[in-house]
Amino acid sequence: MSTLATVPALQPARLEETLLRFAALSEPGPGVSRLAYTRLERQAHDLFASLLADLGIASYTDAAGNTIGELAPDAEPRPGAIGTGSHLDSVPHGGAYDGTVGVVAALAVAAAASAGRPRHRPWRFVAFAAEEGARFGQACNGSRIVAGLTGAADLRQLTDRTGTTMAAAMTECGLAPERVETARWDPRDWRAFVELHVEQGTVLEHRRVPVGVVDTVSGSTRLRVCLTGVASHTGGTPMDNRRDALAAAAECVLDCERLAVAATDVNTRITVGALTVEPGAITIIPGRVVFTVDVRETDYGRQRAAAHAVGQRCRTVAARRGVDVEVEELADTPPVSLSREVAAAARAAATALGLPAEVLSSGASHDTQQISRLMPAGIVFVPSRGGLSHSPGEFSTADQVAAGAAVLLETMYRLDATA
């Protein structure tokens, strides 16, 4: 590996220490719980801004809650910024690496670039808000806003389990949801964006490759299914005279799994991740069940077909069991092909550092998926132990993160030097 490995900002121990500082900002319990548009997410953004300030880099928080710092060029200037970063929110009881690795790597790059080779373009460092869809159903909210894909009206429609709208949650955090249009990025201000992220899969680990370069990011269609039967006494209601919403839901859940397993493409993934049963008492037949479905694919036609099939299966089951059903689409994000130019720069950077790199797709959504609509954009992966993510067991070694940060830095220098 080149002398980049000796840059103090890229040392594994320093990266690990910063990761631990962010991990400490969590609700009690296993793993990291730092949900979108909460006090803890804002504290994490404040820490990011403070660490940038320690490097002499000023930052600001936009109306969407994204935090952005900029390092001015120190050589003959060229137009268009080079950006990097990721998100700081988590799912409930998630891990310390998803998203945060990319933010910590951005801080390391900022430190290294401040005392490194000349830069011709502004370099921007971004902590996106509300990337996870765990709270409001829609993912990548901060990046969707800057890409012009989500507006103020949408924020009043998205709600969490308590009925709190995203707009209300943002207001409670001191943000200005009515002004989110001011957070949009002008593509003319940008040259490229590259994000470092943990793989959230096992390809790199199994192949013993230290770096992944992503060519495609899966799309996601998210559904909410509501089944309404009749709540009745478990002892007094004969088995042949029941309209059991939970029994119908159980069949629907298994049908979702069967659809994915039977799909012709291995990239079709269908998951039921949350299920609520009412009234929820041991002596009452469930009268209402609500569950969510996440359909993922690397081909948009197959993604939409799979989501349609889920709805059809649920309606068929409901009709046969005598329960009512509503299928609501919460969010729909098509898959994207990322920039070949950025991918080539990342592969060349890895080669220059003596690190083998594997080209692979991402089954998970990322902020870069939205940013790619504005500018050339790419993602660099580092390995995830056992492929675990959205789990307290999520883990990448400090050496793996350091290798990824070194590739990120070199990639940005290569993009900075291009016309």
Side-chain angles (χ1 to χ4, degrees):
M1 198 166 168
S2 82
T3 54
L4 277 178
T6 65
V7 175
L10 302 180
Q11 292 304 297
R14 180 168 171 174
L15 292 165
E16 186 172 36
E17 178 187 4
T18 309
L19 281 164
L20 290 173
R21 291 185 67 180
F22 282 106
L25 297 172
S26 173
E27 295 288 353
V32 175
S33 295
R34 191 167 57 234
L35 298 189
Y37 295 131
T38 60
R39 171 185 55 83
L40 282 167
E41 187 202 31
R42 291 297 94 204
Q43 288 179 1
H45 278 253
D46 290 344
L47 175 57
F48 175 65
S50 173
L51 293 172
L52 284 174
D54 290 344
L55 299 172
I57 299 174
S59 64
Y60 68 96
T61 298
D62 65 20
N66 303 309
T67 304
I68 304 166
E70 180 174 312
L71 190 61
D74 55 4
E76 181 181 353
R78 295 173 183 166
I82 308 293
T84 188
S86 193
H87 64 96
L88 286 170
D89 63 313
S90 80
V91 300
H93 306 301
Y97 297 82
D98 178 5
T100 307
V101 158
V103 175
V104 170
L107 288 165
V109 165
S114 297
R117 289 141 50 191
R119 290 164 287 96
H120 297 278
R121 304 176 188 274
W123 283 24
R124 292 178 184 155
F125 311 98
V126 185
F128 289 107
E131 191 272 351
E132 299 291 358
R135 183 176 180 189
F136 296 101
Q138 177 173 275
C140 303
N141 296 286
S143 52
R144 285 181 63 89
I145 289 169
V146 302
L149 301 173
T150 293
D154 302 307
L155 306 180
R156 295 190 291 270
Q157 300 301 316
L158 295 163
T159 60
D160 65 11
R161 290 183 179 182
T162 70
T164 301
T165 66
M166 185 179 289
M170 293 171 72
T171 300
E172 289 174 10
C173 289
L175 302 173
E178 71 281 359
R179 296 181 55 249
V180 292
E181 279 75 12
T182 65
R184 291 185 180 180
W185 291 355
D186 185 342
R188 294 171 297 183
D189 292 339
W190 293 84
R191 171 67 182 86
F193 191 91
V194 56
E195 178 179 7
L196 185 71
H197 206 280
V198 292
E199 183 192 350
Q200 301 174 284
T202 58
V203 173
L204 298 179
E205 182 180 59
H206 285 172
R207 298 180 184 177
R208 297 184 179 181
V209 176
V211 174
V213 177
V214 179
D215 60 355
T216 307
V217 181
S218 292
S220 172
T221 301
R222 297 181 178 188
L223 309 173
R224 179 187 286 125
V225 180
C226 178
L227 294 160
T228 305
V230 175
S232 184
H233 195 289
T234 56
T237 310
M239 296 302 294
D240 62 354
N241 192 33
R242 296 185 175 202
R243 295 172 61 194
D244 187 331
L246 181 55
E251 190 171 342
C252 293
V253 171
L254 290 174
D255 275 352
C256 287
E257 183 183 55
R258 292 186 187 106
L259 281 169
V261 171
T264 57
D265 188 85
V266 295
N267 291 311
T268 301
R269 286 128 195 216
I270 305 176
T271 306
V272 174
L275 186 147
T276 303
V277 180
E278 299 174 2
I282 194 169
T283 59
I284 305 176
I285 297 166
R288 185 174 184 268
V289 173
V290 178
F291 63 90
T292 60
V293 186
D294 184 11
V295 180
R296 305 227 178 194
E297 244 292 354
T298 55
D299 177 89
Y300 192 50
R302 290 194 296 264
Q303 177 181 323
R304 294 302 302 173
H308 177 75
V310 167
Q312 288 295 98
R313 290 286 185 95
C314 291
R315 293 182 186 97
T316 298
V317 170
R320 188 176 69 254
R321 288 184 168 271
V323 302
D324 297 326
V325 63
E326 295 179 12
V327 180
E328 176 190 4
E329 186 174 291
L330 297 176
D332 183 65
T333 302
V336 299
S337 297
L338 299 179
S339 166
R340 293 183 178 181
E341 177 195 13
V342 176
R347 292 196 304 272
T351 298
L353 294 167
L355 296 169
E358 182 90 10
V359 177
L360 71 170
S361 63
S362 172
S365 300
H366 300 289
D367 288 308
T368 296
Q369 187 173 5
Q370 321 308 321
I371 301 307
S372 68
R373 298 169 183 268
L374 303 178
M375 68 192 80
I379 301 173
V380 174
F381 275 167
V382 295
S384 298
R385 186 174 66 185
L388 290 177
S389 186
H390 287 191
S391 159
E394 184 178 280
F395 182 74
S396 299
T397 69
D399 286 337
Q400 289 169 333
V401 175
V407 171
L408 175 64
L409 176 63
E410 181 64 17
T411 300
M412 292 179 68
Y413 270 122
R414 288 172 182 267
L415 292 169
D416 181 90
T418 59

